[in-house]
Amino acid sequence: MSDPQNTVTLWHATTSSEKPGRIEACCESWLDQDEIVRADRFRKSTSRNQHVVGRGMARRLLGDEAVTPNEIQFAHAVHGKPYVVRPDAAKQPFNVAHTDGLVMCCVGQDRHELVGVDVERLGRRTDPELAQRYFSQPEIDFLQSKPEGEVRRDSFLRIWTLKESFIKAIGTGLQTPLADFAFVDIDSDQPRIELLNPKLQSDMSWQFFSIEPRQGFIGAVAVACRQNADEVRVDLRSFDDLVV
Amino acid sequence: MTPAEIRVEILDILDDISPDEDLDNLKDDVAFREQLELDSMDFLDIVMELRKRHRVQIPEEDYGHLASMASTVSYLEPKMVDIVKS
């Protein structure tokens, strides 16, 4: 049986593209005033809903039953990655990702130093030049080995979500050049990363998971542990069921 | 280009990348990603479009300057001052 302390939980929630629904209402009740002000800046309902559900999910899930969602206080690192300031029971590594109609929140355990998550809807319009300009050469070669059309586009999104999960985990966003690291075994469920820039190397070991959380979506999870960490397991769960 | 012309150019690129977005009354001092449905891929599309249209090169370490309309125009002004708006 797998060790719960090695399990990263990946929660997925449905969001409305128009009028807020039950999940949005529930999540909004957990937000503080600043978060609601930020949510109200979005001009489209779909963006507002994703923001509300993303932050609401984190509040509900961090600390689990031991913490009231409203009592959690967040701060943001230099490039904007949020983390928990208090209470201590909620200080778990987490990361949120959203795309049209779906929000995901990844929650790690104490032994996980960093987690990152990204998700995209399959079929999203992509610019082939983006890979040429920003991906590493092994990834460009991998894409060019795929037949043009849907298969290549989906492979692009698979690499993109993996790359995003890494830069979101380390918290630098796009200021880390995407060609400074490369994924190999991309078609597997657990691709591996090669850190091409020595500045990215550290005493942490990385594990990655390529996941289709729901039909029509592709996502990736990044988990960093101190060296010699055991194999991490990702447990996929529906947040919708939690707020029924 | 003048700052006003750069602003119009950025709005034109945003309109191409996110045609469903209502760009009227965009708040120049608020981050794009806090008011528009733009993600990282859209952001790189903007950078690539600036390169294609005007040969403006923006290194990754400068991406933080492109957070809002106001900071983007300030950053681009010296790079685009010699470009004549077509």
Side-chain angles (χ1 to χ4, degrees):
Chain A
M1 192 174 160
S2 61
D3 180 354
Q5 287 303 309
N6 269 345
T7 300
V8 167
T9 311
L10 183 59
W11 295 86
H12 53 100
T14 306
T15 57
S16 167
S17 59
E18 297 174 358
K19 193 178 171 189
R22 179 177 48 84
I23 295 172
E24 285 84 2
C26 192
C27 286
E28 187 161 346
S29 72
W30 294 324
L31 302 190
D32 67 23
Q33 194 53 43
D34 283 350
E35 289 166 332
I36 290 172
V37 168
R38 287 189 65 193
D40 288 341
R41 286 181 184 157
F42 286 103
R43 304 151 79 80
K44 289 174 70 175
S45 302
T46 183
S47 308
R48 185 185 192 281
N49 293 339
Q50 288 170 20
H51 175 83
V52 166
V53 172
R55 187 48 73 94
M57 279 175 91
R59 285 185 172 278
R60 168 62 184 82
L61 298 170
L62 292 167
D64 200 14
E65 302 292 335
V67 175
T68 306
N70 305 78
E71 72 179 291
I72 295 177
Q73 290 188 24
F74 294 100
H76 295 86
V78 62
H79 295 295
K81 186 178 183 182
Y83 61 94
V84 176
V85 177
R86 64 179 65 87
D88 288 347
K91 287 181 179 175
Q92 293 174 271
F94 78 100
N95 198 225
V96 173
H98 46 73
T99 189
D100 182 27
L102 183 68
V103 177
M104 304 191 68
C105 181
C106 180
V107 181
Q109 306 294 333
D110 290 346
R111 68 175 58 180
H112 305 133
E113 294 290 326
L114 301 168
V115 299
V117 62
D118 190 47
V119 65
E120 293 285 353
R121 184 184 284 278
L122 287 167
R124 170 183 181 154
R125 178 189 65 85
T126 60
D127 183 347
E129 279 191 46
L130 198 147
Q132 289 289 334
R133 164 68 181 83
Y134 290 104
F135 284 8
S136 61
Q137 194 58 48
E139 293 160 342
I140 294 169
D141 295 343
F142 172 83
L143 280 178
Q144 287 178 341
S145 74
K146 297 291 182 183
E148 281 190 51
E150 188 178 336
V151 172
R152 188 178 293 183
R153 193 176 61 228
D154 289 354
S155 295
F156 171 90
L157 291 171
R158 177 177 281 260
I159 297 171
W160 175 264
T161 53
L162 285 162
K163 282 182 163 302
E164 277 278 296
S165 72
F166 176 65
I167 60 176
K168 289 182 70 182
I170 61 176
T172 60
L174 290 168
Q175 293 190 44
T176 293
L178 296 179
D180 279 5
F181 56 99
F183 283 93
V184 294
D185 292 339
I186 294 165
D187 275 333
S188 78
D189 292 340
Q190 293 189 44
R192 290 177 293 108
I193 195 169
E194 290 183 353
L195 302 172
L196 306 177
N197 185 336
K199 287 181 181 172
L200 291 175
Q201 288 169 1
S202 70
D203 62 348
M204 286 188 281
S205 65
W206 287 91
Q207 294 181 54
F208 291 86
F209 302 84
S210 200
I211 288 168
E212 292 189 23
R214 292 184 185 180
Q215 191 171 12
F217 294 90
I218 179 85
V221 173
V223 184
C225 304
R226 292 295 165 194
Q227 287 290 7
N228 304 319
D230 295 330
E231 189 168 333
V232 173
R233 176 175 170 269
V234 176
D235 186 13
L236 189 63
R237 291 197 199 175
S238 168
F239 187 76
D240 300 3
D241 298 339
L242 204 66
V243 292
V244 166
Chain B
M1 280 190 180
T2 65
E5 288 170 335
I6 294 170
R7 186 181 188 279
V8 170
E9 188 69 5
I10 299 298
L11 286 173
D12 191 56
I13 292 171
L14 287 172
D15 191 48
D16 274 358
I17 288 167
S18 190
D20 296 338
E21 198 79 59
D22 175 11
L23 297 171
D24 293 341
N25 304 318
L26 184 81
K27 292 185 175 69
D28 284 19
D29 57 344
V30 174
F32 291 125
R33 291 176 68 166
E34 290 190 7
Q35 52 183 328
L36 302 175
E37 195 177 8
L38 289 179
D39 61 16
S40 299
M41 207 184 301
D42 297 320
F43 179 83
L44 291 186
D45 282 339
I46 295 169
V47 174
M48 287 202 305
E49 198 60 26
L50 281 165
R51 185 172 57 86
K52 283 184 208 166
R53 292 188 186 193
H54 303 295
R55 298 174 184 246
V56 174
Q57 299 280 1
I58 305 172
E60 277 92 343
E61 61 264 29
D62 288 351
Y63 285 176
H65 294 292
L66 309 184
S68 70
M69 179 63 88
S71 64
T72 301
V73 171
S74 296
Y75 173 78
L76 291 175
E77 191 181 350
K79 290 178 176 284
M80 298 178 74
V81 67
D82 294 330
I83 296 171
V84 178
K85 183 165 174 62
S86 55

